[in-house]
Amino acid sequence: MKRDLHMHSTASDGALAPAQLVCFCAEACGVGMMALTDHDTVAGVSEAKEAAESFGIIFIPGIEFSCTYARLSIHVVGLGVNHEDTRLIALTDEVCTKRDNRAKQISEKLEALGYPGMLEKALSYSPRGENISRLHFAKALMTEGIVKNENQAFERFLGTGAPANVPAPWGTVPEAVQNIHAAGGVAILAHPGRYRFKNDRELDVLVKEFTEAGGEGIEVVSGSQSPAFTEKAAVLARRYGLAASFGSDFHNLESTSRPGPGDLVLLPSHLTSVLSLLGV
Ligand code: AMP
Ligand code: MN
Ligand code: MN
Ligand code: MN
């Protein structure tokens, strides 16, 4: 059975609505267990959960918190969170407001660079017109023919140090861990191989601080880090006693650089799988 513990829907910057994503996972990809982990929201979880029940697949409610760490955005996935927790929902509403404000600032910067009206175009990719991410702007820049692909959008406009970048106003890594725990979930350091640290030592410090903050797991197999990184992530999991998680980080069918739902190599067998912490 294929399993995937990290995916996005239109509740954040994914292209498929929550129920569509579940249908795609179950019918086209043969996924029998999945988590929905949208950025900073659980708004898609109820719809996905209901769809998963109708397809008879195991569903784990999740979230992917954005965190500010030094000048980087670090992501912490929460698995098994209670998506009806009122405190969690209030907190995610606050982050979405921050996202909306940042989106306006990004749009102003793009306008100053000669590209007006990008906020409306970015919003057109979000059915509820909220929780805008830089990927929504990347899509808008592609559709307008300003860039060729997502990578170019980040390099030329949206990435750290690029002219339309707006520093992220997210909370800290320990806050994300606490918030996940308060909602009954397990905290997982997402795609450790994707962060642009200067050296391995800096990544090691992050993993150490994440563990000290109470984090329980780390993504060892991730569609958004190079497969060659799996071995390094496995070493970090062992060194800090973290459970191993896995997920494609699927966003849309167009992205050829990432695997489809459930298309993942198996975890190294010497590691403890995060599934043992989730009781599934
Ligand atoms: P945000 O959370 O608004 O800062 O946007 C970050 C999102 O943009 C990530 O979750 C990815 O989906 C996407 N992203 C970040 N960097 C890149 C990149 N170089 N190419 C494509 N997508 C990216
Ligand atoms: Mn994303
Ligand atoms: Mn992420
Ligand atoms: Mn993700």
Side-chain angles (χ1 to χ4, degrees), residues 87-145:
R87 188 178 163 274
L88 178 67
I89 293 167
L91 195 79
T92 57
D93 285 348
E94 269 176 43
V95 184
C96 289
T97 304
K98 286 187 191 174
R99 281 193 170 278
D100 292 345
N101 292 335
R102 186 181 66 145
K104 282 184 201 130
Q105 291 173 272
I106 293 174
S107 187
E108 282 161 15
K109 287 198 166 187
L110 287 170
E111 178 153 7
L113 293 165
Y115 306 105
M118 297 310 287
L119 180 60
E120 290 67 29
K121 286 166 190 148
L123 281 165
S124 73
Y125 294 102
S126 166
R128 273 192 297 269
E130 61 179 20
N131 204 12
I132 296 303
S133 103
R134 286 179 292 166
L135 191 57
H136 292 111
F137 280 98
K139 285 185 188 178
L141 289 164
M142 280 161 66
T143 309
E144 293 301 299

Tab-separated table of all heavy atoms in Angstrom, residues 87-145:
chain	number	residue	atom	x	y	z
A	87	ARG	N	-8.594	26.788	19.303
A	87	ARG	CA	-7.373	27.594	19.439
A	87	ARG	C	-6.523	27.475	18.175
A	87	ARG	O	-5.979	28.459	17.677
A	87	ARG	CB	-6.594	27.115	20.669
A	87	ARG	CG	-5.438	28.022	20.995
A	87	ARG	CD	-4.684	27.584	22.248
A	87	ARG	NE	-3.381	28.245	22.257
A	87	ARG	CZ	-2.325	27.768	21.647
A	87	ARG	NH1	-2.379	26.629	20.981
A	87	ARG	NH2	-1.185	28.439	21.695
A	88	LEU	N	-6.434	26.255	17.654
A	88	LEU	CA	-5.652	26.042	16.423
A	88	LEU	C	-6.254	26.854	15.274
A	88	LEU	O	-5.536	27.509	14.516
A	88	LEU	CB	-5.615	24.549	16.064
A	88	LEU	CG	-4.877	24.197	14.765
A	88	LEU	CD1	-3.373	24.470	14.895
A	88	LEU	CD2	-5.089	22.731	14.385
A	89	ILE	N	-7.573	26.827	15.174
A	89	ILE	CA	-8.234	27.552	14.073
A	89	ILE	C	-8.017	29.063	14.222
A	89	ILE	O	-7.689	29.747	13.240
A	89	ILE	CB	-9.735	27.181	13.996
A	89	ILE	CG1	-9.862	25.706	13.576
A	89	ILE	CG2	-10.479	28.074	13.004
A	89	ILE	CD1	-11.227	25.103	13.741
A	90	ALA	N	-8.113	29.569	15.449
A	90	ALA	CA	-7.900	31.015	15.669
A	90	ALA	C	-6.479	31.402	15.282
A	90	ALA	O	-6.231	32.434	14.649
A	90	ALA	CB	-8.178	31.350	17.133
A	91	LEU	N	-5.563	30.542	15.650
A	91	LEU	CA	-4.146	30.781	15.351
A	91	LEU	C	-3.880	30.783	13.843
A	91	LEU	O	-3.171	31.641	13.315
A	91	LEU	CB	-3.413	29.604	15.978
A	91	LEU	CG	-1.958	29.616	16.180
A	91	LEU	CD1	-1.671	30.429	17.412
A	91	LEU	CD2	-1.499	28.174	16.400
A	92	THR	N	-4.484	29.851	13.157
A	92	THR	CA	-4.271	29.769	11.706
A	92	THR	C	-4.933	30.967	11.004
A	92	THR	O	-4.403	31.474	10.020
A	92	THR	CB	-4.799	28.449	11.118
A	92	THR	OG1	-6.181	28.329	11.440
A	92	THR	CG2	-4.047	27.254	11.647
A	93	ASP	N	-6.049	31.432	11.559
A	93	ASP	CA	-6.685	32.642	10.999
A	93	ASP	C	-5.719	33.822	11.081
A	93	ASP	O	-5.618	34.619	10.147
A	93	ASP	CB	-7.979	32.980	11.754
A	93	ASP	CG	-9.114	32.035	11.380
A	93	ASP	OD1	-8.964	31.291	10.388
A	93	ASP	OD2	-10.144	32.039	12.084
A	94	GLU	N	-5.004	33.904	12.215
A	94	GLU	CA	-4.035	35.003	12.382
A	94	GLU	C	-2.926	34.913	11.339
A	94	GLU	O	-2.524	35.911	10.757
A	94	GLU	CB	-3.362	34.904	13.765
A	94	GLU	CG	-4.059	35.654	14.853
A	94	GLU	CD	-3.372	35.396	16.190
A	94	GLU	OE1	-2.132	35.402	16.269
A	94	GLU	OE2	-4.111	35.143	17.163
A	95	VAL	N	-2.416	33.698	11.119
A	95	VAL	CA	-1.331	33.537	10.134
A	95	VAL	C	-1.830	33.868	8.730
A	95	VAL	O	-1.128	34.500	7.941
A	95	VAL	CB	-0.718	32.112	10.168
A	95	VAL	CG1	0.464	32.011	9.211
A	95	VAL	CG2	-0.268	31.743	11.557
A	96	CYS	N	-3.075	33.484	8.442
A	96	CYS	CA	-3.626	33.780	7.109
A	96	CYS	C	-3.765	35.281	6.897
A	96	CYS	O	-3.538	35.774	5.789
A	96	CYS	CB	-4.946	33.049	6.889
A	96	CYS	SG	-4.675	31.276	6.688
A	97	THR	N	-4.089	36.011	7.968
A	97	THR	CA	-4.141	37.480	7.859
A	97	THR	C	-2.747	38.021	7.551
A	97	THR	O	-2.580	38.905	6.703
A	97	THR	CB	-4.674	38.088	9.179
A	97	THR	OG1	-5.937	37.488	9.446
A	97	THR	CG2	-4.832	39.590	9.084
A	98	LYS	N	-1.736	37.454	8.213
A	98	LYS	CA	-0.352	37.869	7.917
A	98	LYS	C	-0.012	37.585	6.452
A	98	LYS	O	0.651	38.365	5.790
A	98	LYS	CB	0.642	37.107	8.803
A	98	LYS	CG	0.687	37.524	10.239
A	98	LYS	CD	1.826	36.789	10.923
A	98	LYS	CE	1.795	36.936	12.428
A	98	LYS	NZ	2.827	36.090	13.071
A	99	ARG	N	-0.483	36.434	5.971
A	99	ARG	CA	-0.237	36.079	4.558
A	99	ARG	C	-0.899	37.086	3.617
A	99	ARG	O	-0.305	37.473	2.613
A	99	ARG	CB	-0.776	34.680	4.246
A	99	ARG	CG	0.114	33.566	4.713
A	99	ARG	CD	-0.319	32.236	4.106
A	99	ARG	NE	0.688	31.230	4.387
A	99	ARG	CZ	1.798	31.061	3.684
A	99	ARG	NH1	2.051	31.796	2.627
A	99	ARG	NH2	2.674	30.147	4.030
A	100	ASP	N	-2.137	37.474	3.960
A	100	ASP	CA	-2.847	38.440	3.110
A	100	ASP	C	-2.102	39.777	3.066
A	100	ASP	O	-1.970	40.383	2.007
A	100	ASP	CB	-4.285	38.650	3.614
A	100	ASP	CG	-5.137	37.401	3.429
A	100	ASP	OD1	-4.701	36.503	2.671
A	100	ASP	OD2	-6.205	37.308	4.043
A	101	ASN	N	-1.618	40.216	4.241
A	101	ASN	CA	-0.863	41.484	4.278
A	101	ASN	C	0.422	41.371	3.476
A	101	ASN	O	0.793	42.275	2.733
A	101	ASN	CB	-0.543	41.882	5.726
A	101	ASN	CG	-1.803	42.252	6.478
A	101	ASN	OD1	-2.793	42.652	5.867
A	101	ASN	ND2	-1.787	42.091	7.789
A	102	ARG	N	1.109	40.245	3.622
A	102	ARG	CA	2.365	40.063	2.867
A	102	ARG	C	2.079	40.022	1.370
A	102	ARG	O	2.837	40.574	0.572
A	102	ARG	CB	3.082	38.774	3.306
A	102	ARG	CG	4.450	38.629	2.640
A	102	ARG	CD	5.152	37.338	3.048
A	102	ARG	NE	4.434	36.189	2.544
A	102	ARG	CZ	4.994	35.069	2.125
A	102	ARG	NH1	6.313	34.927	2.159
A	102	ARG	NH2	4.281	34.069	1.697
A	103	ALA	N	0.960	39.388	0.986
A	103	ALA	CA	0.621	39.303	-0.441
A	103	ALA	C	0.439	40.704	-1.030
A	103	ALA	O	0.891	40.981	-2.143
A	103	ALA	CB	-0.642	38.473	-0.624
A	104	LYS	N	-0.211	41.594	-0.260
A	104	LYS	CA	-0.384	42.988	-0.738
A	104	LYS	C	0.978	43.641	-0.941
A	104	LYS	O	1.206	44.333	-1.934
A	104	LYS	CB	-1.194	43.796	0.284
A	104	LYS	CG	-2.678	43.504	0.212
A	104	LYS	CD	-3.476	44.400	1.162
A	104	LYS	CE	-4.822	43.750	1.446
A	104	LYS	NZ	-5.161	43.659	2.843
A	105	GLN	N	1.898	43.412	0.009
A	105	GLN	CA	3.241	44.017	-0.097
A	105	GLN	C	4.018	43.454	-1.296
A	105	GLN	O	4.709	44.182	-1.994
A	105	GLN	CB	4.019	43.781	1.195
A	105	GLN	CG	3.488	44.556	2.375
A	105	GLN	CD	4.217	44.142	3.659
A	105	GLN	OE1	3.812	43.204	4.342
A	105	GLN	NE2	5.308	44.803	3.969
A	106	ILE	N	3.875	42.134	-1.524
A	106	ILE	CA	4.554	41.517	-2.677
A	106	ILE	C	4.016	42.146	-3.963
A	106	ILE	O	4.776	42.513	-4.862
A	106	ILE	CB	4.355	39.975	-2.689
A	106	ILE	CG1	5.083	39.317	-1.509
A	106	ILE	CG2	4.834	39.372	-4.029
A	106	ILE	CD1	4.819	37.818	-1.350
A	107	SER	N	2.684	42.313	-4.005
A	107	SER	CA	2.054	42.874	-5.196
A	107	SER	C	2.535	44.308	-5.447
A	107	SER	O	2.789	44.699	-6.593
A	107	SER	CB	0.539	42.829	-5.017
A	107	SER	OG	-0.096	43.201	-6.202
A	108	GLU	N	2.684	45.082	-4.361
A	108	GLU	CA	3.174	46.463	-4.505
A	108	GLU	C	4.594	46.476	-5.073
A	108	GLU	O	4.933	47.297	-5.914
A	108	GLU	CB	3.125	47.191	-3.158
A	108	GLU	CG	1.714	47.648	-2.799
A	108	GLU	CD	1.530	47.953	-1.309
A	108	GLU	OE1	2.543	48.084	-0.578
A	108	GLU	OE2	0.373	48.023	-0.888
A	109	LYS	N	5.401	45.548	-4.603
A	109	LYS	CA	6.786	45.471	-5.105
A	109	LYS	C	6.796	45.098	-6.590
A	109	LYS	O	7.574	45.633	-7.372
A	109	LYS	CB	7.599	44.465	-4.294
A	109	LYS	CG	7.938	44.964	-2.899
A	109	LYS	CD	9.071	44.169	-2.288
A	109	LYS	CE	9.611	44.883	-1.055
A	109	LYS	NZ	10.813	44.242	-0.522
A	110	LEU	N	5.911	44.160	-6.966
A	110	LEU	CA	5.851	43.758	-8.379
A	110	LEU	C	5.356	44.923	-9.237
A	110	LEU	O	5.851	45.140	-10.340
A	110	LEU	CB	4.947	42.529	-8.547
A	110	LEU	CG	5.541	41.217	-8.030
A	110	LEU	CD1	4.492	40.101	-8.012
A	110	LEU	CD2	6.735	40.764	-8.887
A	111	GLU	N	4.422	45.678	-8.687
A	111	GLU	CA	3.910	46.845	-9.431
A	111	GLU	C	5.043	47.858	-9.662
A	111	GLU	O	5.204	48.375	-10.775
A	111	GLU	CB	2.744	47.487	-8.671
A	111	GLU	CG	2.213	48.713	-9.381
A	111	GLU	CD	0.746	49.018	-9.086
A	111	GLU	OE1	0.157	48.351	-8.212
A	111	GLU	OE2	0.213	49.918	-9.747
A	112	ALA	N	5.835	48.084	-8.609
A	112	ALA	CA	6.961	49.028	-8.730
A	112	ALA	C	7.982	48.538	-9.761
A	112	ALA	O	8.711	49.330	-10.355
A	112	ALA	CB	7.624	49.218	-7.366
A	113	LEU	N	8.008	47.219	-9.978
A	113	LEU	CA	8.935	46.654	-10.969
A	113	LEU	C	8.333	46.650	-12.382
A	113	LEU	O	8.951	46.162	-13.322
A	113	LEU	CB	9.321	45.212	-10.570
A	113	LEU	CG	10.156	45.062	-9.289
A	113	LEU	CD1	10.153	43.618	-8.814
A	113	LEU	CD2	11.593	45.539	-9.520
A	114	GLY	N	7.087	47.152	-12.472
A	114	GLY	CA	6.450	47.258	-13.800
A	114	GLY	C	5.412	46.189	-14.086
A	114	GLY	O	4.999	46.021	-15.231
A	115	TYR	N	4.990	45.439	-13.042
A	115	TYR	CA	3.986	44.382	-13.239
A	115	TYR	C	2.783	44.635	-12.331
A	115	TYR	O	2.704	44.087	-11.228
A	115	TYR	CB	4.600	43.001	-12.961
A	115	TYR	CG	5.856	42.746	-13.757
A	115	TYR	CD1	7.110	42.804	-13.146
A	115	TYR	CD2	5.797	42.492	-15.122
A	115	TYR	CE1	8.275	42.595	-13.878
A	115	TYR	CE2	6.949	42.298	-15.863
A	115	TYR	CZ	8.177	42.347	-15.235
A	115	TYR	OH	9.312	42.160	-15.965
A	116	PRO	N	1.824	45.449	-12.764
A	116	PRO	CA	0.675	45.776	-11.913
A	116	PRO	C	-0.364	44.647	-11.872
A	116	PRO	O	-0.359	43.755	-12.716
A	116	PRO	CB	0.091	47.025	-12.591
A	116	PRO	CG	0.495	46.902	-14.027
A	116	PRO	CD	1.790	46.140	-14.058
A	117	GLY	N	-1.234	44.715	-10.872
A	117	GLY	CA	-2.411	43.817	-10.804
A	117	GLY	C	-2.101	42.373	-10.453
A	117	GLY	O	-2.939	41.493	-10.649
A	118	MET	N	-0.916	42.117	-9.902
A	118	MET	CA	-0.555	40.703	-9.644
A	118	MET	C	-1.290	40.108	-8.445
A	118	MET	O	-1.467	38.899	-8.377
A	118	MET	CB	0.962	40.553	-9.462
A	118	MET	CG	1.782	40.924	-10.687
A	118	MET	SD	1.237	40.147	-12.237
A	118	MET	CE	1.767	38.497	-11.996
A	119	LEU	N	-1.748	40.952	-7.504
A	119	LEU	CA	-2.483	40.400	-6.354
A	119	LEU	C	-3.775	39.715	-6.834
A	119	LEU	O	-4.053	38.582	-6.434
A	119	LEU	CB	-2.813	41.500	-5.334
A	119	LEU	CG	-3.588	41.029	-4.096
A	119	LEU	CD1	-2.803	39.967	-3.318
A	119	LEU	CD2	-3.925	42.195	-3.179
A	120	GLU	N	-4.513	40.384	-7.694
A	120	GLU	CA	-5.764	39.817	-8.201
A	120	GLU	C	-5.485	38.508	-8.948
A	120	GLU	O	-6.210	37.535	-8.816
A	120	GLU	CB	-6.473	40.795	-9.152
A	120	GLU	CG	-7.051	42.039	-8.477
A	120	GLU	CD	-6.004	42.990	-7.912
A	120	GLU	OE1	-4.874	43.042	-8.467
A	120	GLU	OE2	-6.302	43.658	-6.905
A	121	LYS	N	-4.394	38.510	-9.712
A	121	LYS	CA	-4.061	37.299	-10.482
A	121	LYS	C	-3.641	36.159	-9.544
A	121	LYS	O	-4.028	35.007	-9.749
A	121	LYS	CB	-2.959	37.606	-11.498
A	121	LYS	CG	-3.532	38.409	-12.656
A	121	LYS	CD	-2.495	39.048	-13.527
A	121	LYS	CE	-3.198	40.019	-14.477
A	121	LYS	NZ	-2.384	41.175	-14.820
A	122	ALA	N	-2.897	36.483	-8.508
A	122	ALA	CA	-2.502	35.454	-7.529
A	122	ALA	C	-3.744	34.913	-6.820
A	122	ALA	O	-3.895	33.702	-6.639
A	122	ALA	CB	-1.508	36.037	-6.527
A	123	LEU	N	-4.652	35.835	-6.445
A	123	LEU	CA	-5.874	35.426	-5.731
A	123	LEU	C	-6.747	34.498	-6.571
A	123	LEU	O	-7.482	33.667	-6.041
A	123	LEU	CB	-6.694	36.673	-5.349
A	123	LEU	CG	-6.206	37.453	-4.125
A	123	LEU	CD1	-6.854	38.828	-4.066
A	123	LEU	CD2	-6.505	36.682	-2.849
A	124	SER	N	-6.647	34.622	-7.900
A	124	SER	CA	-7.500	33.803	-8.765
A	124	SER	C	-7.168	32.309	-8.652
A	124	SER	O	-7.956	31.464	-9.055
A	124	SER	CB	-7.388	34.265	-10.223
A	124	SER	OG	-6.150	33.871	-10.761
A	125	TYR	N	-6.005	31.986	-8.094
A	125	TYR	CA	-5.644	30.564	-7.901
A	125	TYR	C	-6.113	30.014	-6.560
A	125	TYR	O	-5.885	28.854	-6.257
A	125	TYR	CB	-4.122	30.380	-8.028
A	125	TYR	CG	-3.653	30.672	-9.433
A	125	TYR	CD1	-3.047	31.882	-9.732
A	125	TYR	CD2	-3.839	29.750	-10.460
A	125	TYR	CE1	-2.637	32.171	-11.027
A	125	TYR	CE2	-3.439	30.023	-11.747
A	125	TYR	CZ	-2.848	31.232	-12.025
A	125	TYR	OH	-2.457	31.514	-13.297
A	126	SER	N	-6.718	30.864	-5.733
A	126	SER	CA	-7.174	30.409	-4.425
A	126	SER	C	-8.697	30.492	-4.380
A	126	SER	O	-9.252	31.588	-4.384
A	126	SER	CB	-6.557	31.307	-3.340
A	126	SER	OG	-7.229	31.098	-2.122
A	127	PRO	N	-9.405	29.350	-4.353
A	127	PRO	CA	-10.873	29.367	-4.422
A	127	PRO	C	-11.507	30.267	-3.370
A	127	PRO	O	-12.484	30.935	-3.633
A	127	PRO	CB	-11.273	27.911	-4.195
A	127	PRO	CG	-10.056	27.119	-4.478
A	127	PRO	CD	-8.868	27.993	-4.228
A	128	ARG	N	-10.938	30.265	-2.155
A	128	ARG	CA	-11.537	31.115	-1.118
A	128	ARG	C	-10.918	32.508	-1.094
A	128	ARG	O	-11.274	33.339	-0.256
A	128	ARG	CB	-11.376	30.448	0.256
A	128	ARG	CG	-12.519	29.483	0.573
A	128	ARG	CD	-12.482	29.081	2.031
A	128	ARG	NE	-11.238	28.364	2.292
A	128	ARG	CZ	-11.135	27.049	2.190
A	128	ARG	NH1	-12.153	26.320	1.823
A	128	ARG	NH2	-9.983	26.456	2.433
A	129	GLY	N	-9.953	32.738	-1.998
A	129	GLY	CA	-9.326	34.060	-2.060
A	129	GLY	C	-8.559	34.407	-0.800
A	129	GLY	O	-8.551	35.545	-0.353
A	130	GLU	N	-7.915	33.402	-0.209
A	130	GLU	CA	-7.148	33.665	1.016
A	130	GLU	C	-5.964	32.699	1.113
A	130	GLU	O	-5.812	31.824	0.253
A	130	GLU	CB	-8.037	33.512	2.251
A	130	GLU	CG	-8.591	32.108	2.383
A	130	GLU	CD	-9.457	31.889	3.599
A	130	GLU	OE1	-9.965	32.857	4.162
A	130	GLU	OE2	-9.618	30.716	3.974
A	131	ASN	N	-5.144	32.902	2.144
A	131	ASN	CA	-3.982	32.035	2.391
A	131	ASN	C	-3.048	32.021	1.175
A	131	ASN	O	-2.631	30.959	0.705
A	131	ASN	CB	-4.431	30.618	2.759
A	131	ASN	CG	-3.373	29.880	3.562
A	131	ASN	OD1	-2.405	30.481	4.031
A	131	ASN	ND2	-3.517	28.580	3.710
A	132	ILE	N	-2.730	33.221	0.703
A	132	ILE	CA	-1.913	33.350	-0.504
A	132	ILE	C	-0.439	33.065	-0.191
A	132	ILE	O	0.116	33.582	0.782
A	132	ILE	CB	-2.081	34.778	-1.091
A	132	ILE	CG1	-3.529	34.975	-1.534
A	132	ILE	CG2	-1.133	35.027	-2.252
A	132	ILE	CD1	-4.031	33.960	-2.540
A	133	SER	N	0.168	32.238	-1.015
A	133	SER	CA	1.588	31.925	-0.856
A	133	SER	C	2.361	32.462	-2.057
A	133	SER	O	1.767	32.890	-3.051
A	133	SER	CB	1.800	30.411	-0.699
A	133	SER	OG	2.280	29.820	-1.882
A	134	ARG	N	3.661	32.426	-1.941
A	134	ARG	CA	4.488	32.908	-3.064
A	134	ARG	C	4.260	32.056	-4.307
A	134	ARG	O	4.432	32.527	-5.425
A	134	ARG	CB	5.963	32.916	-2.666
A	134	ARG	CG	6.299	34.044	-1.708
A	134	ARG	CD	7.755	34.018	-1.320
A	134	ARG	NE	8.075	32.863	-0.502
A	134	ARG	CZ	9.311	32.444	-0.240
A	134	ARG	NH1	10.355	33.063	-0.760
A	134	ARG	NH2	9.517	31.401	0.542
A	135	LEU	N	3.848	30.792	-4.106
A	135	LEU	CA	3.592	29.930	-5.276
A	135	LEU	C	2.415	30.457	-6.100
A	135	LEU	O	2.410	30.330	-7.326
A	135	LEU	CB	3.335	28.489	-4.812
A	135	LEU	CG	3.317	27.411	-5.906
A	135	LEU	CD1	4.613	27.397	-6.699
A	135	LEU	CD2	3.067	26.034	-5.300
A	136	HIS	N	1.416	31.077	-5.444
A	136	HIS	CA	0.312	31.689	-6.192
A	136	HIS	C	0.843	32.816	-7.082
A	136	HIS	O	0.411	32.960	-8.225
A	136	HIS	CB	-0.751	32.262	-5.238
A	136	HIS	CG	-1.508	31.215	-4.465
A	136	HIS	ND1	-1.364	31.037	-3.108
A	136	HIS	CD2	-2.407	30.283	-4.862
A	136	HIS	CE1	-2.158	30.061	-2.705
A	136	HIS	NE2	-2.792	29.576	-3.755
A	137	PHE	N	1.779	33.599	-6.550
A	137	PHE	CA	2.384	34.660	-7.366
A	137	PHE	C	3.226	34.062	-8.491
A	137	PHE	O	3.224	34.568	-9.611
A	137	PHE	CB	3.244	35.593	-6.497
A	137	PHE	CG	2.438	36.615	-5.743
A	137	PHE	CD1	2.095	36.415	-4.417
A	137	PHE	CD2	1.998	37.778	-6.371
A	137	PHE	CE1	1.334	37.350	-3.725
A	137	PHE	CE2	1.241	38.723	-5.687
A	137	PHE	CZ	0.908	38.505	-4.355
A	138	ALA	N	3.927	32.968	-8.193
A	138	ALA	CA	4.745	32.314	-9.235
A	138	ALA	C	3.851	31.859	-10.387
A	138	ALA	O	4.188	32.047	-11.562
A	138	ALA	CB	5.507	31.134	-8.630
A	139	LYS	N	2.680	31.299	-10.055
A	139	LYS	CA	1.746	30.848	-11.098
A	139	LYS	C	1.274	32.029	-11.929
A	139	LYS	O	1.187	31.944	-13.159
A	139	LYS	CB	0.531	30.168	-10.463
A	139	LYS	CG	0.806	28.778	-9.948
A	139	LYS	CD	-0.512	28.183	-9.471
A	139	LYS	CE	-0.312	26.870	-8.763
A	139	LYS	NZ	-1.568	26.323	-8.254
A	140	ALA	N	0.947	33.144	-11.247
A	140	ALA	CA	0.473	34.334	-11.950
A	140	ALA	C	1.576	34.874	-12.874
A	140	ALA	O	1.299	35.230	-14.026
A	140	ALA	CB	0.049	35.394	-10.939
A	141	LEU	N	2.807	34.891	-12.402
A	141	LEU	CA	3.924	35.388	-13.231
A	141	LEU	C	4.135	34.482	-14.445
A	141	LEU	O	4.475	34.949	-15.532
A	141	LEU	CB	5.209	35.464	-12.390
A	141	LEU	CG	5.253	36.576	-11.327
A	141	LEU	CD1	6.362	36.323	-10.311
A	141	LEU	CD2	5.452	37.952	-11.978
A	142	MET	N	3.903	33.181	-14.273
A	142	MET	CA	4.025	32.238	-15.397
A	142	MET	C	2.907	32.472	-16.411
A	142	MET	O	3.154	32.529	-17.612
A	142	MET	CB	3.960	30.794	-14.882
A	142	MET	CG	5.265	30.305	-14.293
A	142	MET	SD	5.014	28.872	-13.246
A	142	MET	CE	4.471	27.661	-14.407
A	143	THR	N	1.680	32.575	-15.897
A	143	THR	CA	0.528	32.765	-16.793
A	143	THR	C	0.660	34.052	-17.612
A	143	THR	O	0.256	34.100	-18.772
A	143	THR	CB	-0.780	32.823	-15.966
A	143	THR	OG1	-0.786	31.684	-15.122
A	143	THR	CG2	-2.008	32.808	-16.847
A	144	GLU	N	1.261	35.079	-16.992
A	144	GLU	CA	1.442	36.350	-17.705
A	144	GLU	C	2.627	36.309	-18.667
A	144	GLU	O	2.932	37.294	-19.335
A	144	GLU	CB	1.666	37.478	-16.681
A	144	GLU	CG	0.462	37.776	-15.817
A	144	GLU	CD	-0.761	38.185	-16.625
A	144	GLU	OE1	-0.692	39.198	-17.326
A	144	GLU	OE2	-1.775	37.458	-16.574
A	145	GLY	N	3.347	35.190	-18.668
A	145	GLY	CA	4.507	35.049	-19.562
A	145	GLY	C	5.722	35.844	-19.095
A	145	GLY	O	6.664	36.073	-19.853
